[in-house]
mmCIF file of all heavy atoms in Angstrom:
data_model
loop_
_atom_site.group_PDB
_atom_site.id
_atom_site.type_symbol
_atom_site.label_atom_id
_atom_site.label_comp_id
_atom_site.label_asym_id
_atom_site.label_seq_id
_atom_site.Cartn_x
_atom_site.Cartn_y
_atom_site.Cartn_z
ATOM 1 N N GLU A 24 -4.209 -7.595 -6.364
ATOM 2 C CA GLU A 24 -5.336 -8.146 -5.593
ATOM 3 C C GLU A 24 -5.488 -9.648 -5.847
ATOM 4 O O GLU A 24 -5.725 -10.424 -4.923
ATOM 5 C CB GLU A 24 -6.641 -7.446 -5.978
ATOM 6 C CG GLU A 24 -6.807 -6.086 -5.368
ATOM 7 C CD GLU A 24 -6.819 -6.131 -3.835
ATOM 8 O OE1 GLU A 24 -7.420 -7.050 -3.262
ATOM 9 O OE2 GLU A 24 -6.209 -5.231 -3.224
ATOM 10 N N VAL A 25 -5.340 -10.038 -7.097
ATOM 11 C CA VAL A 25 -5.454 -11.465 -7.432
ATOM 12 C C VAL A 25 -4.365 -12.248 -6.695
ATOM 13 O O VAL A 25 -4.620 -13.293 -6.090
ATOM 14 C CB VAL A 25 -5.334 -11.681 -8.964
ATOM 15 C CG1 VAL A 25 -5.183 -13.152 -9.299
ATOM 16 C CG2 VAL A 25 -6.538 -11.089 -9.688
ATOM 17 N N LEU A 26 -3.134 -11.720 -6.712
ATOM 18 C CA LEU A 26 -2.013 -12.430 -6.063
ATOM 19 C C LEU A 26 -2.222 -12.520 -4.552
ATOM 20 O O LEU A 26 -1.843 -13.506 -3.921
ATOM 21 C CB LEU A 26 -0.689 -11.732 -6.379
ATOM 22 C CG LEU A 26 -0.246 -11.837 -7.843
ATOM 23 C CD1 LEU A 26 0.937 -10.915 -8.129
ATOM 24 C CD2 LEU A 26 0.116 -13.277 -8.220
ATOM 25 N N ASN A 27 -2.851 -11.492 -3.959
ATOM 26 C CA ASN A 27 -3.160 -11.533 -2.518
ATOM 27 C C ASN A 27 -4.179 -12.615 -2.195
ATOM 28 O O ASN A 27 -4.137 -13.232 -1.146
ATOM 29 C CB ASN A 27 -3.756 -10.197 -2.055
ATOM 30 C CG ASN A 27 -2.682 -9.151 -1.907
ATOM 31 O OD1 ASN A 27 -1.507 -9.486 -1.800
ATOM 32 N ND2 ASN A 27 -3.078 -7.875 -1.910
ATOM 33 N N ARG A 28 -5.119 -12.818 -3.128
ATOM 34 C CA ARG A 28 -6.230 -13.734 -2.818
ATOM 35 C C ARG A 28 -5.969 -15.189 -3.171
ATOM 36 O O ARG A 28 -6.601 -16.075 -2.598
ATOM 37 C CB ARG A 28 -7.484 -13.293 -3.578
ATOM 38 C CG ARG A 28 -8.098 -12.067 -2.976
ATOM 39 C CD ARG A 28 -9.547 -11.990 -3.361
ATOM 40 N NE ARG A 28 -10.033 -10.642 -3.207
ATOM 41 C CZ ARG A 28 -11.263 -10.274 -3.481
ATOM 42 N NH1 ARG A 28 -12.130 -11.165 -3.938
ATOM 43 N NH2 ARG A 28 -11.648 -9.035 -3.309
ATOM 44 N N PHE A 29 -5.112 -15.419 -4.180
ATOM 45 C CA PHE A 29 -4.939 -16.804 -4.649
ATOM 46 C C PHE A 29 -3.519 -17.281 -4.377
ATOM 47 O O PHE A 29 -2.561 -16.804 -4.993
ATOM 48 C CB PHE A 29 -5.248 -16.910 -6.154
ATOM 49 C CG PHE A 29 -6.674 -16.607 -6.496
ATOM 50 C CD1 PHE A 29 -7.083 -15.311 -6.792
ATOM 51 C CD2 PHE A 29 -7.629 -17.620 -6.512
ATOM 52 C CE1 PHE A 29 -8.405 -15.028 -7.100
ATOM 53 C CE2 PHE A 29 -8.953 -17.349 -6.813
ATOM 54 C CZ PHE A 29 -9.341 -16.049 -7.104
ATOM 55 N N ASP A 30 -3.414 -18.260 -3.467
ATOM 56 C CA ASP A 30 -2.109 -18.778 -3.063
ATOM 57 C C ASP A 30 -1.324 -19.438 -4.183
ATOM 58 O O ASP A 30 -0.122 -19.292 -4.276
ATOM 59 C CB ASP A 30 -2.305 -19.860 -1.981
ATOM 60 C CG ASP A 30 -2.341 -19.216 -0.627
ATOM 61 O OD1 ASP A 30 -1.985 -18.039 -0.556
ATOM 62 O OD2 ASP A 30 -2.736 -19.911 0.341
ATOM 63 N N GLY A 31 -2.035 -20.197 -5.002
ATOM 64 C CA GLY A 31 -1.335 -21.021 -5.995
ATOM 65 C C GLY A 31 -0.992 -20.290 -7.280
ATOM 66 O O GLY A 31 -0.743 -20.920 -8.300
ATOM 67 N N VAL A 32 -0.980 -18.951 -7.241
ATOM 68 C CA VAL A 32 -0.712 -18.207 -8.475
ATOM 69 C C VAL A 32 0.599 -17.434 -8.343
ATOM 70 O O VAL A 32 0.814 -16.729 -7.358
ATOM 71 C CB VAL A 32 -1.863 -17.215 -8.784
ATOM 72 C CG1 VAL A 32 -1.605 -16.467 -10.083
ATOM 73 C CG2 VAL A 32 -3.199 -17.931 -8.858
ATOM 74 N N SER A 33 1.489 -17.592 -9.324
ATOM 75 C CA SER A 33 2.758 -16.845 -9.324
ATOM 76 C C SER A 33 2.710 -15.754 -10.385
ATOM 77 O O SER A 33 1.993 -15.877 -11.385
ATOM 78 C CB SER A 33 3.941 -17.730 -9.702
ATOM 79 O OG SER A 33 3.915 -18.925 -9.040
ATOM 80 N N TYR A 34 3.520 -14.753 -10.166
ATOM 81 C CA TYR A 34 3.633 -13.638 -11.112
ATOM 82 C C TYR A 34 4.907 -13.831 -11.928
ATOM 83 O O TYR A 34 5.979 -14.049 -11.355
ATOM 84 C CB TYR A 34 3.688 -12.334 -10.323
ATOM 85 C CG TYR A 34 3.776 -11.100 -11.175
ATOM 86 C CD1 TYR A 34 2.665 -10.627 -11.858
ATOM 87 C CD2 TYR A 34 4.973 -10.393 -11.295
ATOM 88 C CE1 TYR A 34 2.737 -9.484 -12.642
ATOM 89 C CE2 TYR A 34 5.045 -9.251 -12.069
ATOM 90 C CZ TYR A 34 3.929 -8.809 -12.739
ATOM 91 O OH TYR A 34 4.005 -7.681 -13.514
#
Side-chain angles (χ1 to χ4, degrees):
E24 282 299 320
V25 169
L26 291 170
N27 283 341
R28 286 203 200 179
F29 296 90
D30 272 348
V32 181
S33 314
Y34 181 75

